Amino acid sequence: MDTRSPIEIADEWLDKWSGPDTPAIGEGVSDCALDWDLPREQPALCLASIVEVLGRLDTPDPNRLLAVLAAGPLEELLTHNGEAVIDQVDLLARSDPPFRRLLNGVWFNGINPGVHAKLSKYLGRAW
């Protein structure tokens, strides 16, 4: 169980993914808790950490870090624990334009259809 704060987890994730040599797939891919363990084992901490990272990103337009955050931690969270966080994600998508933009970077093919249906009203053009 990860006992770090969302701030500490966000620091780790941003440090790992901000480097120019971090690949998206294959050898050397991130081993950060936010990418793998938290979406599966600690959904509340994962979501809080995602929100912390998002607050530090320049989000007017999709960029590499926003894409990695959407297709990595958020997509993994919704795939493995979407039902557990759907109400919080719905609230964030409704009230926070940067979070709604992030949500549009998620591919929903592996996500529970009920979760997808509840969030579909926030989905515009995928990027």
Side-chain angles (χ1 to χ4, degrees):
M1 175 180 263
D2 203 317
T3 59
R4 294 176 296 160
S5 72
I7 292 169
E8 293 168 309
I9 293 166
D11 288 344
E12 174 191 56
W13 191 89
L14 285 165
D15 184 53
K16 179 68 178 188
W17 284 105
S18 293
D21 298 328
T22 304
I25 60 171
E27 189 174 328
V29 167
S30 176
D31 57 358
C32 294
L34 186 55
D35 290 320
W36 303 111
D37 299 332
L38 295 180
R40 291 164 177 78
E41 300 167 6
Q42 292 181 267
L45 180 58
C46 181
L47 184 58
S49 300
I50 290 169
V51 169
E52 179 66 31
V53 169
L54 183 60
R56 299 186 197 184
L57 298 180
D58 183 20
T59 59
D61 295 308
N63 57 53
R64 180 179 179 275
L65 287 176
L66 197 64
V68 172
L69 188 62
L74 184 55
E75 190 170 308
E76 288 294 310
L77 175 63
L78 293 174
T79 298
H80 296 284
N81 278 297
E83 296 86 1
V85 297
I86 188 64
D87 291 335
Q88 299 95 322
V89 170
D90 181 69
L91 178 62
L92 285 164
R94 185 175 347 125
S95 62
D96 185 358
F99 189 87
R100 195 167 39 253
R101 188 173 302 108
L102 180 68
L103 192 60
N104 277 273
V106 170
W107 291 9
F108 281 84
N109 32 338
I111 295 171
N112 178 299
V115 171
H116 185 199
K118 186 161 186 177
L119 298 176
S120 65
K121 62 187 165 230
Y122 304 113
L123 302 178
R125 189 182 64 180
W127 45 268

